[in-house]
Amino acid sequence: YGRRLSLISRSDSTLRGHYPLEIDVLAATVGGADGQIVIPFFAEGGRLTIDDVHYVAEGDRLIPAALTPFAEDAAFGFTESNLKDYVQEKTGGRIKREDVVSITLEDLRGGSSSNDGVDPSERVRAKLSELTNMQACVVNAVTLRDMQVFALGLLDSESKDKKRFLVRSAASFVQARIGLPKRPILDASVINSSSDGDGNAESNGGLIVVGSYVPKTTSQLGLLLRLDGLEKIEINVADLVDVSKRADTIDAMVDRVETAIASGKNTVVYTSRTLVTGSTPSESLAIGNLVSDGLVTIVSKLQSQPRFIIAKGGITSSDVATKGLGIKRAMVLGQAAPGIPVWSIGEEGKFPGMSYVVFPGNVGGEDELAKLVGRLSD
């Protein structure tokens, strides 16, 4: 229809995931681009990039990403916190660090080395407009304002200079790119307001599905399990991986979840906390997919509509949404807490109109999950 598309590969803010594979596939599909832009900044999660080094905020400390447990991921591990070095590492040296362009905080704000009277967004545009032949560019950012300035420069480069970029980014860039204003945290009544058409879902319990193994999720789960009145169902990961036990295990879990939800109990289904890995990254990823598929199957077999569903973990929330609930389109209602979006499921999905809470594995304080479920239980 003659429209130019902006393609964004949504990535993990702690540098895990299929990079550069996703960008390479996009480039091959659309016939290449002038530049590939890496932007892992995520304001609500405390993922900040300063002097090209990507940090994860823990309390009042900034920890280089390569020194966090996320860098030890069995499938997507990495050793470099400097984004230029990270690009070189992940591309196997195909892209050299010295060839990576950096959008600095001084570019975005103006400073001692860039106090040239040029509007910051124009400075960004100038740098971006020099990119050619899929050249890599990394972006520094500490505040959403930094991201908004960058987004304006990128938009100008696309529209005025006719440049095309493929972006690998965390959530904050998307918000800045589309000009989405900050919204207040959703009231519990909005998240709890889903109906199955007969009004029965409002008396059913909610469902919390926890698959992520990162230490933050495990500590958050521990506090959640202390809540009174919560049905707690643990799935032994070894039983999901064992072909001889898998089907019976899933069927037993479905029966327990169905009974608990129909009785009005909020129910948490969580994987055992012992991490099962393979001998190679690809084997570990295959095991993770088996576990995720088990959780997905439990959700897909439910007959009773939960009052809401919270999915904890990146792979878990993605797979439960697309495979377990068949979501093709959803309306983003807002946030249940900073960095935790809430969707209203579209008509094509299982349980249309139900609230679906996407709770990343590495987001929120230690008590964030328990506080959210507590709010939805009052």
Side-chain angles (χ1 to χ4, degrees):
Y1 297 102
R3 292 187 177 183
R4 290 174 60 88
L5 297 178
S6 294
L7 298 178
I8 301 172
S9 168
R10 273 284 285 107
S11 70
D12 175 65
S13 63
T14 57
L15 303 182
R16 298 170 299 171
H18 293 285
Y19 177 80
L21 178 61
E22 289 185 14
I23 287 292
D24 290 344
V25 170
L26 285 174
T29 302
V30 301
D34 295 296
Q36 55 178 293
I37 303 174
V38 179
I39 319 172
F41 169 70
F42 179 32
E44 290 83 358
R47 317 295 194 246
L48 316 177
T49 308
I50 305 167
D51 293 333
D52 298 334
V53 177
H54 194 56
Y55 294 94
V56 175
E58 290 291 347
D60 59 357
R61 296 186 303 147
L62 290 180
I63 302 173
L67 302 182
T68 68
F70 307 116
E72 301 171 6
D73 189 285
F76 301 117
F78 56 93
T79 63
E80 301 292 349
S81 301
N82 185 294
L83 292 184
K84 290 184 174 182
D85 295 322
Y86 169 83
V87 169
Q88 177 173 283
E89 176 186 7
K90 283 297 183 178
T91 61
R94 186 183 77 208
I95 300 176
K96 305 296 184 185
R97 76 172 316 279
E98 56 267 26
D99 296 326
V100 179
V101 173
S102 172
I103 304 296
T104 68
L105 291 178
E106 288 186 339
D107 291 331
L108 296 167
R109 302 175 178 184
S112 57
S113 65
S114 59
N115 190 17
D116 50 13
V118 177
D119 182 271
S121 66
E122 282 298 314
R123 196 177 296 115
V124 170
R125 173 190 170 189
K127 278 195 170 183
L128 293 180
S129 295
E130 292 179 356
L131 299 181
T132 58
N133 195 30
M134 285 292 291
Q135 188 174 2
C137 174
V138 301
V139 181
N140 291 268
V142 174
T143 68
L144 185 58
R145 177 65 176 173
D146 294 330
M147 202 83 287
Q148 291 168 337
V149 171
F150 173 78
L152 181 57
L154 179 138
L155 288 170
D156 280 345
S157 184
E158 288 179 331
S159 63
K160 298 176 181 177
D161 304 319
K162 307 305 179 187
K163 303 293 272 189
R164 167 180 272 179
F165 306 108
L166 299 177
V167 178
R168 176 78 171 169
S169 83
S172 292
F173 169 74
V174 179
Q175 179 183 355
R177 170 66 178 76
I178 65 177
L180 184 67
K182 192 169 184 177
R183 299 180 181 179
I185 298 301
L186 289 175
D187 188 84
S189 62
V190 177
I191 303 173
N192 272 322
S193 65
S194 60
S195 171
D196 61 2
D198 298 322
N200 298 326
E202 293 183 4
S203 62
N204 288 346
L207 176 62
I208 305 98
V209 182
V210 181
S212 170
Y213 282 95
V214 297
K216 176 164 284 189
T217 289
T218 298
S219 63
Q220 290 173 335
L221 175 62
L223 290 183
L224 174 67
L225 295 177
R226 297 181 189 177
L227 292 183
D228 294 330
L230 188 68
E231 184 72 12
K232 302 152 189 171
I233 302 176
E234 180 180 21
I235 305 176
N236 189 331
V237 168
D239 292 341
L240 287 179
V241 176
D242 187 334
V243 176
S244 66
K245 296 180 179 179
R246 180 179 175 84
D248 289 342
T249 297
I250 290 174
D251 287 343
M253 294 299 107
V254 171
D255 289 342
R256 289 184 63 186
V257 173
E258 194 80 55
T259 300
I261 288 173
S263 71
K265 275 191 169 184
N266 287 337
T267 302
V268 56
V269 176
Y270 61 99
T271 51
S272 53
R273 295 290 91 188
T274 300
L275 181 61
V276 179
T277 59
S279 58
T280 65
S282 60
E283 287 182 5
S284 295
L285 186 60
I287 291 171
N289 287 336
L290 267 179
V291 174
S292 182
D293 286 346
L295 295 173
V296 163
T297 303
I298 292 171
V299 173
S300 68
K301 287 189 172 185
L302 289 179
Q303 299 300 311
S304 299
Q305 177 178 320
R307 195 167 71 253
F308 59 82
I309 291 181
I310 299 172
K312 188 76 171 78
I315 293 175
T316 302
S317 58
S318 175
D319 285 353
V320 168
T322 58
K323 300 175 184 177
L325 295 170
I327 298 176
K328 297 184 182 299
R329 179 175 297 190
M331 177 66 70
V332 180
L333 300 177
Q335 297 185 102
I340 303 169
V342 181
W343 303 355
S344 177
I345 297 176
E347 291 300 318
E348 306 93 339
K350 188 182 182 78
F351 308 139
M354 186 191 71
S355 293
Y356 182 67
V357 182
V358 180
F359 200 135
N362 53 17
V363 167
E366 192 170 289
D367 61 348
E368 199 73 65
L369 182 57
K371 285 196 303 184
L372 175 56
V373 174
R375 279 203 300 130
L376 297 176
S377 303
D378 291 340

